[in-house]
Amino acid sequence: MSYQLTIEPLGATIEVEEGQTVLDAALRQGIYLPHACGHGLCGSCKVQVCEGEVDHGAANPFALMEVEREEGKTLACCCTLSCDTTIEADIEDEPDAEVIPVRDFAATIERIEDLTPTIKAFHLKLDKVIHFQAGQYVQLEIPGLGESRAFSIANTPVDVAATQCIELNVRRVPGGQGTTWLHEQAQVGDRVRLAGPYGRFFVRKSSSLPMVFMAGGSGLSSPRSMIGELLAAGCTTPITLIYGQRTQAELYYDAEFRALAEQHPNFHYVPALSEPAGDADWSGARGFVHEAAKAHFNGNFAGQKAYLCGPPAMIEACIATLMQGRLFERDIYTEKFLSAADAQNARSPLFKRV
């Protein structure tokens, strides 16, 4: 059985299978609905039910309060339809967004590479080419866990189209079941399943403004794909990457970015170490990503587009620094992967994008 879902203000009507969430149905038919955690924890996918009836599913009572349920609100990532339904969503017009339906893929682990003591690169050969925008991510099913985990695609769309392989950079999270399985049990030749592409994180190419990318930890995946695509396409707009790690041993793809900076005069690379005490030969920037960015731009970020990828604490510090430096929400974009703990500390709803 299936139901008809009408999404306003788009006026689009799609088919939703019984038991399928509204968010999954929309994404699989190329319609983007705002969302973040995907598990009913953060409230980013809240929509208004105008007509019809829904089952709220496992929506967290803090993300969807009782009074909101009574007012007809629901979370698209959790709710399922009980009949033909009309919803209204807060959908922003994004002229640079491509309409790409989410699809399922089978893949073989072709190569596993140690990037740092805690980060591995997994090269997956897909059964068919995935079309995506640089900056987007996939949901990788973890065998035996019954759940999937989100990982950004670290190579460019052109590379993927040519090789049918995607690269995922995975940092081992202490106590994390998904990353522990990948680091300890995954083997070359294993078959895995994934779905994608997901996410609203991509370069706003229609803007001619200079771009600053700020990345930390394993958040380098998306910027690597985005910057690689821009430079390969002959982009001449100024691009700056501020990339932070604790030590020099964790600074993966450092040589690659230094080479790109040598080849492209419009690309500036600023690596920074927050704990360089054991790196006596380090002559680069010291401190956290936001501190290195502030020093590089003398505290003035006006007139740029900023793309932030990394752990929540890093992103929060970078947003504060950018806003203090005269850059505001409309020009700041973040990659949002939220755990249960992160979702409890979600930003104010006044901030739609960041």
Side-chain angles (χ1 to χ4, degrees):
M1 179 182 292
S2 64
Y3 302 106
Q4 298 295 303
L5 173 68
T6 300
I7 303 173
E8 300 293 356
L10 300 178
T13 299
I14 64 174
E15 191 170 286
V16 183
E17 297 296 326
E18 185 175 13
Q20 183 181 27
T21 68
V22 164
L23 179 62
D24 183 67
L27 294 177
R28 288 182 178 277
Q29 296 183 59
I31 297 175
Y32 177 82
L33 296 180
H35 62 282
C37 76
H39 301 291
L41 298 169
C42 70
S44 299
C45 63
K46 198 171 295 175
V47 296
Q48 178 71 45
V49 179
C50 304
E51 295 180 17
E53 187 177 341
V54 302
D55 182 330
H56 296 297
N60 185 288
F62 293 101
L64 184 68
M65 295 182 290
E66 190 61 37
V67 65
E68 293 178 308
R69 299 171 193 238
E70 294 172 358
E71 293 172 349
K73 292 181 172 60
T74 192
L75 301 185
C77 74
C78 292
C79 77
T80 56
L81 302 189
S82 303
C83 60
D84 292 346
T85 301
T86 298
I87 63 169
E88 184 174 358
D90 186 12
I91 302 174
E92 293 185 40
D93 180 36
E94 288 279 11
D96 295 298
E98 293 185 37
V99 177
I100 310 174
V102 168
R103 296 193 297 163
D104 295 313
F105 298 84
T108 300
I109 300 178
E110 197 169 66
R111 182 160 56 96
I112 302 174
E113 177 185 2
D114 289 326
L115 298 178
T116 78
T118 60
I119 299 174
K120 292 181 182 287
F122 291 82
H123 299 263
L124 309 182
K125 181 77 171 184
L126 304 181
D127 62 338
K128 58 195 173 209
V129 173
I130 182 172
H131 176 54
F132 70 102
Q133 286 188 266
Q136 291 188 298
Y137 65 92
V138 297
Q139 290 278 2
L140 179 68
E141 292 182 15
I142 306 300
L145 188 59
E147 298 178 5
S148 61
R149 295 291 185 267
F151 299 106
S152 295
I153 302 173
N155 44 345
T156 71
V158 172
D159 290 339
V160 172
T163 65
Q164 213 164 301
C165 287
I166 62 171
E167 177 185 339
L168 307 179
N169 298 160
V170 180
R171 181 178 67 87
R172 180 168 184 166
V173 178
Q177 291 178 294
T179 61
T180 297
W181 184 88
L182 286 166
H183 274 252
E184 292 187 358
Q185 299 182 46
Q187 301 289 328
V188 170
D190 284 353
R191 295 284 288 171
V192 293
R193 299 194 62 82
L194 55 95
Y198 291 96
R200 204 68 162 176
F201 193 66
F202 52 85
V203 176
R204 273 57 183 182
K205 295 180 180 177
S206 62
S207 170
S208 59
L209 296 177
M211 293 165 274
V212 55
F213 293 84
M214 303 167 74
S218 59
L220 189 63
S221 301
S222 290
R224 182 177 182 241
S225 179
M226 298 158 88
I227 293 169
E229 182 188 48
L230 287 167
L231 295 178
C235 174
T236 57
T237 304
I239 302 169
T240 303
L241 170 62
I242 314 290
Y243 167 40
Q245 288 284 19
R246 292 181 304 167
T247 66
Q248 205 165 349
E250 297 173 319
L251 206 62
Y252 68 103
Y253 290 130
D254 179 62
E256 178 180 305
F257 285 113
R258 290 181 187 276
L260 286 173
E262 288 287 333
Q263 297 164 18
H264 302 274
N266 63 310
F267 175 56
H268 305 281
Y269 171 53
V270 183
L273 301 183
S274 60
E275 299 177 13
D279 296 297
D281 61 337
W282 179 253
S283 59
R286 295 168 182 259
F288 294 105
V289 173
H290 65 285
E291 296 169 328
K294 184 175 182 179
H296 182 77
F297 288 99
N298 294 317
N300 185 2
F301 300 96
Q304 299 199 68
K305 290 281 188 184
Y307 300 89
L308 317 182
C309 315
M314 186 216 90
I315 288 179
E316 290 296 320
C318 288
I319 289 171
T321 298
L322 290 168
M323 288 187 165
Q324 290 167 5
R326 299 172 56 204
L327 195 67
F328 302 103
E329 185 194 358
R330 66 178 181 271
D331 292 317
I332 302 174
Y333 305 90
T334 66
E335 184 176 54
K336 299 177 181 177
F337 293 157
L338 297 179
S339 67
D342 298 331
Q344 300 304 321
N345 298 307
R347 291 178 66 78
S348 163
L350 293 174
F351 292 89
K352 291 184 179 181
R353 182 177 293 117
V354 301

